[in-house]
Amino acid sequence: MKRLVSAVLAAVLAIPALASANVTVKLFSGFTEAGGDITFSGLTGTYVSNGLAFGDFAPGRNGFPGADTVFGAELTGFLQVDTAGSYTVTLGSDDASYLFLDGVATLALPGNHGYYTESTTVNLAAGLTPFRVAYQNTFCCGSQLTLETTARVAPVPEPGTYALMGAGLALVGAGVASRRRSVAA
């Protein structure tokens, strides 16, 4: 029975969907910067990225429309905080960008500008902390966005991961029930 439990747990923990971090990126043709945030309109595409650094948004690269195009991007995901404490976050962009951690405005680089960074220290609880970055590209000749942190970007399990884990737990439960019946007989 111990071997069955160990095999099921090993299979569940080795699921490839848990191997990389997922950042959802939504691209927009329209945006409005006001009140310490950017609101978006005209969704043009959505994709999943494995990172938080987007160098020059060249046409077609990572799905972005290109540095000479006016566009907005909203990035969402989770930071994995292994130990509660103070963490440094750095946001960098050319043109406006805003960082929200757990729904709270954390860093703001408003307006049209060349690339620069701002950093702050935040206290985070252990576990997953949701983040959102709002970004707009309004000038030509380059666009750049980076988010750096001493916390990790957490993998987000796919729905199939939960199904596989449930099936594995059901097998373990069936094995335990079968063992109890055979011992009782």
Side-chain angles (χ1 to χ4, degrees):
M1 184 62 188
K2 287 182 182 178
R3 284 187 214 159
L4 174 63
V5 172
S6 296
V8 169
L9 287 176
V12 169
L13 294 176
I15 295 169
L18 296 176
S20 64
N22 295 322
V23 177
T24 300
V25 180
K26 293 182 180 178
L27 302 171
F28 299 89
S29 59
F31 53 83
T32 303
E33 180 185 10
D37 198 357
I38 301 171
T39 55
F40 299 99
S41 62
L43 180 66
T44 60
T46 300
Y47 74 98
V48 176
S49 172
N50 286 326
L52 291 167
F54 300 91
D56 185 23
F57 294 136
R61 182 173 158 195
N62 291 329
F64 283 92
D68 293 336
T69 305
V70 173
F71 70 93
E74 181 178 55
L75 297 82
T76 56
F78 294 89
L79 298 179
Q80 174 65 50
V81 181
D82 295 326
T83 305
S86 296
Y87 291 85
T88 301
V89 291
T90 302
L91 180 65
S93 69
D94 74 341
D95 298 335
S97 64
Y98 296 87
L99 170 64
F100 299 85
L101 292 177
D102 207 10
V104 176
T106 306
L107 283 170
L109 285 68
N112 299 325
H113 52 78
Y115 184 81
Y116 75 97
T117 63
E118 291 282 336
S119 296
T120 191
T121 301
V122 294
N123 290 316
L124 299 173
L128 295 177
T129 300
F131 71 85
R132 176 179 166 263
V133 176
Y135 170 75
Q136 70 182 32
N137 181 56
T138 53
F139 282 155
C140 77
C141 313
S143 57
Q144 192 171 357
L145 174 68
T146 58
L147 174 62
E148 298 173 357
T149 178
T150 50
R152 294 182 292 129
V153 177
V156 178
E158 305 273 333
T161 302
Y162 292 115
L164 183 59
M165 186 168 38
L169 292 174
L171 282 173
V172 170
V176 169
S178 173
R179 174 95 171 138
R180 285 186 182 160
R181 281 192 300 266
S182 68
V183 169

